[in-house]
Amino acid sequence: MNDFRADLHCHSTCSDGTLTPTEIIHLAKSKNLTGLSITDHDTIGAYTEAVSVANSLQFPLISGAEFSSVHEQTNVHILAYGFSLESKIIHDFCYKHCSRRTLRNQTILDLLKMHGMPIDELDLKESTPHAIIGRPHIALAMIKKGYITSIQQAFHLYIGEGKSCYHPGQKVSVEETLDIIHQAKGLAIIAHPHLIQNVSTVKRLLDMNFDGLEGYYARFHANQNERWVKIAQNKNWLITGGSDFHGTIKPTLPLGASWVNQETFSILLDHFKSNQATPA
Ligand code: AMP
Ligand code: FE
Ligand code: FE
Ligand code: ZN
């Protein structure tokens, strides 16, 4: 079937996206996508509402998350797919990240206060009370206070890596993240490998026991696709893809801008179904 397109990378209001899980599924349908995984940062909260919506629309949905990890000072995002949504291992890991983020956000707010830009912690939760809070929420609160005029500016001047109000927080290693995903019988994929700053980190990651890499990404040029696809093929890894849709906070990344075919989607869907039957 040639018109099969499944977007395996997007963010909802449960992390730093601007559409609810329900809205994302409706949008996916309206764009004639044929499958989806919602990969919020460090949370699977989206699935609480997404599963019943997807079921009622008979829309194929695979469990997913994008976990934040660090390898030798370099931030690495790891996509996890196909784990059971009942997995205690994944739930505990998300809880650990939630606590990590609470402490980290407080440190960033302290730094902003020291730089004359006080923000109340409650201001961060105003629009999305159930979300995992990250730097984009801090950027939006800074705009609301009038300290800066755009999200880009917030990252560029204050909260981007290496800037005066940046703090990495407690670090979770790539190895631990891989171990957790595999214990939960999920598949671990290197997210947007072209965005990883440090070349030696990429080399190290390619020697680790990942199950695949994200070879198709919204803003890849054709030759970038080709490079990562070849690397994955040589390793006999899965090649996943998606848009990294975040809604209006990243308007250049529309849902469905990148996708996988039915063959890849079926591998992940089968994995998910077998894990749902016997959760780890
Ligand atoms: P956090 O997980 O809290 O460290 O925030 C990381 C998120 O911030 C990423 O997933 C992006 O959505 C967003 N982000 C990172 N860098 C930038 C940037 N320069 N401009 C806008 N958004 C960014
Ligand atoms: Fe994000
Ligand atoms: Fe990412
Ligand atoms: Zn993402």
Side-chain angles (χ1 to χ4, degrees):
M1 197 166 117
N2 288 329
D3 49 3
F4 190 98
R5 290 180 300 129
D7 189 332
L8 296 181
H9 189 161
C10 62
H11 298 266
S12 78
T13 44
C14 293
S15 63
D16 56 356
T18 57
L19 295 192
T20 65
T22 302
E23 288 167 338
I24 291 180
I25 293 171
H26 283 283
L27 179 62
K29 263 205 98 115
S30 75
K31 286 180 167 248
N32 293 321
L33 291 174
T34 32
L36 201 65
S37 180
I38 301 176
T39 51
D40 277 310
H41 297 288
D42 304 325
T43 177
I44 57 169
Y47 290 89
T48 309
E49 77 180 59
V51 169
S52 59
V53 175
N55 285 344
S56 70
L57 296 172
Q58 294 188 307
F59 189 81
L61 182 72
I62 294 172
S63 63
E66 184 177 21
F67 289 114
S68 314
S69 74
V70 178
H71 182 77
E72 290 169 357
Q73 319 300 328
T74 303
N75 289 325
V76 176
H77 283 180
I78 302 178
L79 291 160
Y81 294 114
F83 50 81
S84 165
L85 291 166
E86 316 302 327
S87 167
K88 184 175 183 309
I89 296 165
I90 294 290
H91 280 269
D92 288 351
F93 194 49
C94 291
Y95 183 77
K96 174 177 168 155
H97 270 289
C98 186
S99 310
R100 171 185 77 81
R101 280 179 177 275
T102 302
L103 285 173
R104 180 208 189 197
N105 291 338
Q106 193 50 60
T107 307
I108 294 177
L109 293 193
D110 289 346
L111 288 166
L112 285 170
K113 193 172 177 188
M114 275 168 53
H115 284 76
M117 293 172 282
I119 289 171
D120 194 302
E121 209 184 335
L122 289 177
D123 290 343
L124 299 180
K125 297 195 173 176
E126 206 175 66
S127 50
T128 50
H130 305 298
I132 276 282
I133 304 292
R135 283 180 291 159
H137 301 92
I138 296 177
L140 290 171
M142 289 172 77
I143 294 174
K144 209 167 167 193
K145 288 273 187 189
Y147 302 146
I148 37 112
T149 54
S150 71
I151 292 179
Q152 281 303 336
Q153 202 182 16
F155 276 87
H156 186 68
L157 294 178
Y158 301 110
I159 59 174
E161 268 182 78
K163 304 295 174 184
S164 56
C165 301
Y166 176 73
H167 195 274
Q170 180 207 336
K171 292 170 182 166
V172 181
S173 72
V174 169
E175 288 86 348
E176 178 182 351
T177 307
L178 271 171
D179 194 39
I180 294 279
I181 295 170
H182 285 151
Q183 274 183 46
K185 296 193 280 180
L187 296 164
I189 308 288
I190 307 173
H192 40 62
H194 66 302
L195 293 181
I196 298 169
Q197 300 291 333
N198 191 327
V199 179
S200 69
T201 300
V202 176
K203 282 192 182 145
R204 289 291 313 276
L205 295 177
L206 292 174
D207 284 334
M208 294 187 191
N209 64 332
F210 281 93
D211 302 290
L213 58 75
E214 193 171 42
Y216 305 105
Y217 189 78
R219 279 186 289 182
F220 264 180
H221 298 299
N223 59 351
Q224 280 181 303
N225 274 342
E226 215 175 295
R227 176 177 175 222
W228 293 106
V229 166
K230 273 190 186 149
I231 290 172
Q233 281 171 340
N234 282 336
K235 301 179 79 65
N236 212 8
W237 275 4
L238 288 166
I239 306 164
T240 69
S243 60
D244 209 358
F245 173 74
H246 281 71
T248 52
I249 67 157
K250 290 192 180 180
T252 55
L253 303 176
L255 191 69
S258 207
W259 39 269
V260 296
N261 61 19
Q262 187 161 24
E263 193 187 337
T264 305
F265 189 78
S266 296
I267 294 170
L268 302 182
L269 187 62
D270 290 348
H271 204 88
F272 176 46
K273 281 181 182 165
S274 71
N275 280 336
Q276 279 295 79
T278 52

